[in-house]
């Protein structure tokens, strides 16, 4: 049976089964350790059902990944949403650069959101808007504030 890992906690993987639309608690077979492969949230997998009533199983195969991230450890991502505060705390632009470069390397579409616009000074809002408007890499700039999402001015 095929499914997608939706959660992983302490060696247990929760797999949403495509056929039955149910979630199974699974363990990974030892062969993955031998091959130095770790199942990740987002992985498409083949599993064998051990107990249908208890919904338990074993992951027997990890299907090919289209991409993966190390932090957080996830696979088969379609889009990334990066949220940074304009103020309180002050943004770490070096970290922002690292996030955006990592997304670009994986071929991910990214949306950059700056929040706390309502408590930022005009100068800080202008700086965030200028960053969001940079056309050099393929990410969309948006400012998020007061629970609404609107394009940066």
């Amino acid at each position: 049976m095929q499914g997608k890992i939706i959660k992983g906690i302490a060696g247990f993987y929760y797999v949403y089964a495509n056929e039955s639309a149910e979630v199974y608690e699974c363990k990974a077979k030892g062969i993955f350790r031998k091959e130095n492969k770790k199942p990740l949230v987002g992985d498409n997998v083949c599993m064998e059902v051990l107990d249908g009533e208890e919904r338990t199983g074993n992951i027997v195969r990890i299907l090919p990944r289209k991409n993966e991230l190390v932090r957080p450890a996830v696979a088969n991502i379609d889009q990334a949403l990066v949220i940074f505060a304009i103020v309180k705390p002050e943004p770490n632009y070096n970290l922002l650069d690292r996030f955006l470069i990592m997304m670009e390397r994986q071929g991910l579409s990214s949306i950059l959101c700056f929040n706390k616009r309502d408590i930022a000074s005009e100068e800080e809002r202008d700086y965030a808007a200028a960053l969001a408007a940079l056309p050099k890499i393929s990410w969309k700039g948006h400012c998020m504030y007061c629970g609404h999402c609107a394009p940066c001015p």
Side-chain angles (χ1 to χ4, degrees), residues 25-29 46-50 56-60:
E25 182 181 76
C26 297
K27 295 218 40 103
K29 294 289 244 177
C46 292
M47 65 175 198
E48 63 182 6
V49 176
L50 298 177
T56 58
N58 282 331
I59 296 171
V60 294

Side-chain angles (χ1 to χ4, degrees), residues 68-147:
E68 71 180 271
L69 296 178
V70 177
R71 282 185 68 174
V74 292
N76 301 316
I77 305 108
D78 295 321
Q79 187 173 57
L81 176 64
V82 180
I83 301 174
F84 263 71
I86 297 175
V87 292
K88 293 186 182 178
E90 293 298 316
N92 180 339
Y93 293 113
N94 184 32
L95 182 62
L96 176 60
D97 286 345
R98 288 174 38 206
F99 281 146
L100 294 174
I101 289 167
M102 182 174 48
M103 302 307 154
E104 186 75 13
R105 279 184 153 173
Q106 291 293 329
L108 291 173
S109 164
S110 299
I111 298 174
L112 175 60
C113 291
F114 289 103
N115 65 358
K116 299 187 182 179
R117 181 175 187 240
D118 54 331
I119 60 172
S121 70
E122 189 172 335
E123 181 181 325
E124 290 163 329
R125 283 195 305 267
D126 290 346
Y127 188 70
L131 278 177
L134 286 174
K136 292 181 179 147
I137 58 176
S138 62
W139 52 270
K140 301 173 185 176
H142 288 275
C143 292
M144 182 179 271
Y145 61 98
C146 301

Side-chain angles (χ1 to χ4, degrees), residues 49 51-56:
V49 176
D51 186 336
E53 280 187 26
E54 293 290 320
R55 287 193 230 134
T56 58

